[in-house]
Amino acid sequence: MRVFILGGTGSIGTAILQELIARSHSVIALSRSEASDAKIEKLGATKCRGDLRKPANWIKIAIDCDAIVQVATTFGEDMGDVDKHVIDALIEASTRIAQKPRFLYTGGCWLYGETKNEVATEDRLFNPLPAFKWMVENGNRLLNCQTLSTAIIHPAMVYHAEGGVFELFLLAAHENAPIEMWGNKKTRWPIIERSDLARAYCDLLVRPDLKGHFNAVS
């Protein structure tokens, strides 16, 4: 498959890109710097210079691929607006082509909110933090789009050898400093290792018959 990935040089995206290449997919990754260009090419993918905030400059290349993977965000106050702008461009572009591209969108376990002793399955209603409400709304738009084959992956807390989401915990431990705990000592965090998550993305990518929400957790 020809796959276009947004966020291919990020923590999760790098692992997905590597797994895609290992499975002999042809990968194009959005890049906005020379450093990202070098990283993408070293991993065996093709760079596409562009900016997430300006999808008009790269959307034609993306929509002509068999599949698109979205694991990118600006992490700024405008991240919801930027994501909506990308989805607007993607949905509009998909109406002008004959094929129906596969699209993998990224949510997160935090969209379920606090579940106490209950297990959050894919059937659970979302209760997101206000800062991430846009993610649920944008995901619903994608699932209702008839010109895309969309699946939304909700990763648990992602870790890897260098730390990942728990990097601050590890740094504090190495420095023999107090570790700041989130929530309280009874909080249980679902986790998944980065390469396992990448395999989940790639398995789901080649199953366009599987649509909707999918939780990814160890």
Side-chain angles (χ1 to χ4, degrees):
M1 295 177 67
R2 292 181 68 244
V3 183
F4 193 94
I5 182 168
L6 302 168
T9 59
S11 178
I12 297 174
T14 297
I16 296 174
L17 197 158
Q18 289 175 309
E19 185 67 20
L20 287 168
I21 295 296
R23 298 189 186 199
S24 299
H25 294 295
S26 175
V27 183
I28 303 172
L30 187 68
S31 170
R32 63 173 184 172
S33 70
E34 291 185 1
S36 293
D37 289 350
K39 185 175 183 178
I40 289 166
E41 293 177 336
K42 183 177 181 180
L43 292 172
T46 301
K47 68 179 183 297
C48 174
R49 182 60 71 88
D51 191 320
L52 193 66
R53 289 185 169 87
K54 299 177 181 179
N57 296 338
W58 49 261
I59 198 69
K60 176 69 166 58
I61 297 172
I63 205 65
D64 283 342
C65 291
D66 302 304
I68 302 168
V69 179
Q70 162 64 312
V71 284
T73 185
T74 63
F75 291 107
E77 292 183 359
D78 64 344
M79 59 183 176
D81 293 332
V82 172
D83 191 69
K84 180 180 181 300
H85 190 40
V86 168
I87 290 172
D88 287 343
L90 179 65
I91 291 177
E92 197 278 329
S94 70
T95 64
R96 303 196 304 266
I97 58 175
Q99 71 268 29
K100 190 174 185 178
R102 180 62 159 157
F103 187 71
L104 296 189
Y105 185 65
T106 304
C109 61
W110 57 84
L111 297 182
Y112 292 108
E114 185 177 354
T115 65
K116 298 188 183 297
N117 290 324
E118 296 180 11
V119 175
T121 68
E122 287 86 350
D123 296 326
R124 187 181 182 89
L125 294 177
F126 291 115
N127 182 28
L129 295 170
F132 291 100
K133 184 179 178 181
W134 57 268
M135 196 175 285
V136 176
E137 295 170 348
N138 291 350
N140 287 337
R141 290 183 60 214
L142 287 165
L143 292 175
N144 290 326
C145 176
Q146 299 302 308
T147 51
L148 293 170
S149 172
T150 300
I152 302 176
I153 299 182
H154 300 286
M157 309 293 278
V158 183
Y159 72 95
H160 51 84
E162 290 76 40
V165 72
F166 300 112
E167 186 172 354
L168 292 178
F169 290 0
L170 294 178
L171 181 63
H174 285 306
E175 295 180 351
N176 199 29
I179 298 176
E180 179 183 358
M181 302 302 295
W182 305 329
N184 60 63
K185 64 182 181 180
K186 294 183 178 180
T187 299
R188 293 174 294 180
W189 294 100
I191 60 174
I192 187 167
E193 199 275 330
R194 180 170 60 179
S195 59
D196 288 338
L197 178 59
R199 285 190 281 273
Y201 270 88
C202 293
D203 287 347
L204 197 55
L205 189 73
V206 296
R207 290 290 306 275
D209 56 307
L210 297 179
K211 304 173 185 178
H213 298 280
F214 297 86
N215 295 342
V217 60
S218 296

